[in-house]
Amino acid sequence: MTESGRAASRTAVLVCQGRAAAHGRAATDQFADPVAVGLLGVAERTTVDQVRANTPPEGWRERTAYESVRACAEVVVPRTVAIDRALRARVTGQLVILGAGLDTRAWRLPELAQTDVWEVDHPASQQDKRARLAGTAPVLRGPDEGDVHHAELPATARSVRFTPVDFAVDDLGAALDAAGHDPSAPTTWLWEGVVPYLTRDEVHATVAALAARTVPGSALVVNYQAPSARVAAGRLLTRVLGGFVTSGEPWRSLWKPQRMAVLLAEYGLRVVSDDSLLALAHTLGSPARGRTSLRSGRVAVAESH
Ligand SMILES: C[S@@+](CC[C@H](N)C(=O)[O-])C[C@H]1O[C@@H](n2cnc3c(N)ncnc32)[C@H](O)[C@@H]1O
C-alpha cells in the first residue's frame, strides 16, 4: 500500500509477466518485449520462467499463478502487435499512455525517438513502476542481493513524464497541463487494458477529458473488452480460486464495438479499425487456447480529422 490508500496494480504486473513469457516464443517476427522481464521481481520471474519452459508447478496457488501468466501471454501477443502497429503508423510528437502500468514502449520503440511520452497512471501503480525502473523496488531483489541498485533503464522515447492520476477522482486535463502536455499539438493517445476497470461514467469522463486536448492529426488507440457470458464466468471462477492474482481489480465496464464507436464519435473521434484479439492471433499464428478471452478483447483505432 502507498499513502494514497491503494496498492499498486497487480494486473499491471500480470500483463508484464505475460509479455516477458511470450518474448522470443510467440509470433517472434512481429512480437518482442525484451524490456518486460527486467521490471519483474524475483518471484514474478520464476512464474515467467515456468511458463517459458512449459513446466507447471505443484501446488494450487503456484499453479493458478502459472495458468494466469500463460493465459495472459496469449492475450498480450496480438494486443501488443496491434497496438505497436497502430502507434508506428501514427507517430506524433506527443504520446499519452493512460493507465500505463508496466508498459515498456517508451523504453522499447525506437520510433518514439522524437516523441515525448506521458505515462499517466494511478499514483500507487506509478510509484511501484518508478521503483522497478530505478532498480530500487524491494520486489526486484534476490535473496543475496541486499541493497543492490540496478542501473536505470535508458528510454528510447525523447522524454518520459510520469503523471499520477486517479481517473476516478482526479482531473486528467489539469494533470496533463501541469506535466507540460500541449493540447494544441497532435497527440497519440494509448489506452490499453484499463477500460474494463473503470465504470461507464469514468470511461465517458476520460474520453471527454482527452477529446478536449485532441486536435486534428491526433489518434486514440484503445483496447477494451466486449461483453461475453463465458468470460464473465471464467473471471468469477479465477477470483474465487485465486483472487490474489487480480485482487481488488474487478471489471466494471464492457463495451460492444458499436457502443464504443458511438461514444468516441460523440467526441469527434472516428473509429477506423476495431479488431478482435482472436482474429489477430489467427493472423499472427500465435497460441489461442483461451479463445473466449481473445474473442472478447478488442483493439480499436480512432482518428481526429
Ligand atoms: C491491466 S493494467 C494495464 C497496464 C498497461 N496499460 C498494460 O496494458 O500493460 C491496468 C492499469 O490501469 C490502471 N488503473 C486502473 N484504475 C485506474 C484509475 N482509477 N486511475 C488510474 N489508473 C487506473 C492501473 O493502475 C493499471 O496500471
Side-chain angles (χ1 to χ4, degrees):
M1 281 286 191
T2 65
E3 67 280 0
S4 71
R6 169 171 159 165
S9 168
R10 287 295 309 151
T11 56
V13 175
L14 177 62
V15 181
C16 186
Q17 287 177 296
R19 288 192 295 259
H23 174 68
R25 291 182 72 245
T28 48
D29 53 334
Q30 310 232 24
F31 172 84
D33 191 343
V35 177
V37 69
L39 295 179
L40 297 173
V42 178
E44 294 157 355
R45 275 203 307 262
T46 301
T47 312
V48 167
D49 291 341
Q50 290 163 346
V51 173
R52 291 177 65 82
N54 271 322
T55 50
E58 300 287 330
W60 72 268
R61 204 181 164 88
E62 291 76 8
R63 183 64 192 251
T64 307
Y66 172 94
E67 289 302 336
S68 299
V69 172
R70 191 198 56 71
C72 187
E74 282 194 1
V75 170
V76 294
V77 170
R79 178 166 127 180
T80 304
V81 170
I83 291 171
D84 287 357
R85 269 187 204 154
L87 295 181
R88 287 187 176 112
R90 290 168 186 79
V91 173
T92 59
Q94 306 190 106
L95 170 63
V96 179
I97 305 181
L98 301 165
L102 299 180
D103 189 292
T104 56
R105 292 184 176 87
W107 293 268
R108 176 167 73 74
L109 295 183
E111 292 85 353
L112 298 179
Q114 301 305 319
T115 300
D116 297 312
V117 176
W118 283 261
E119 286 222 340
V120 177
D121 207 351
H122 191 279
S125 303
Q126 192 155 85
Q127 194 174 311
D128 176 60
K129 179 175 193 173
R130 297 187 73 169
R132 288 170 185 262
L133 281 166
T136 56
V139 75
L140 296 181
R141 285 185 210 131
D144 308 321
E145 282 192 85
D147 263 343
V148 165
H149 283 206
H150 302 263
E152 184 138 9
L153 204 59
T156 51
R158 180 164 56 194
S159 71
V160 186
R161 304 170 194 199
F162 293 101
T163 313
V165 171
D166 181 343
F167 296 124
V169 294
D170 296 327
D171 180 336
L172 174 63
L176 284 171
D177 268 335
H181 172 256
D182 179 0
S184 67
T187 298
T188 309
W189 302 89
L190 170 58
W191 205 8
E192 178 186 15
V194 187
V195 169
Y197 302 103
L198 305 179
T199 64
R200 296 188 93 74
D201 284 351
E202 288 161 5
V203 172
H204 269 272
T206 305
V207 175
L210 73 86
R213 310 180 70 85
T214 294
V215 294
S218 303
L220 166 67
V221 181
V222 56
N223 158 240
Y224 65 98
Q225 292 293 133
S228 153
R230 287 172 71 183
V231 172
R235 260 190 84 80
L236 183 63
L237 190 66
T238 306
R239 291 186 72 202
V240 170
L241 292 178
F244 65 93
V245 175
T246 56
S247 52
E249 295 172 68
W251 279 357
R252 296 190 168 94
S253 74
L254 304 170
W255 296 77
K256 289 187 178 148
Q258 174 64 14
R259 303 267 316 251
M260 180 55 74
V262 167
L263 165 70
L264 298 180
E266 233 176 85
Y267 292 97
L269 287 157
R270 191 170 61 83
V271 171
V272 293
S273 67
D274 186 339
D275 298 303
S276 98
L277 298 184
L278 183 60
L280 291 164
H282 285 327
T283 330
L284 293 170
S286 61
R289 274 166 62 185
R291 304 174 74 81
T292 312
S293 50
L294 279 164
R295 191 176 283 121
S296 68
R298 305 189 71 85
V299 172
V301 180
E303 292 177 344
S304 160
H305 294 286

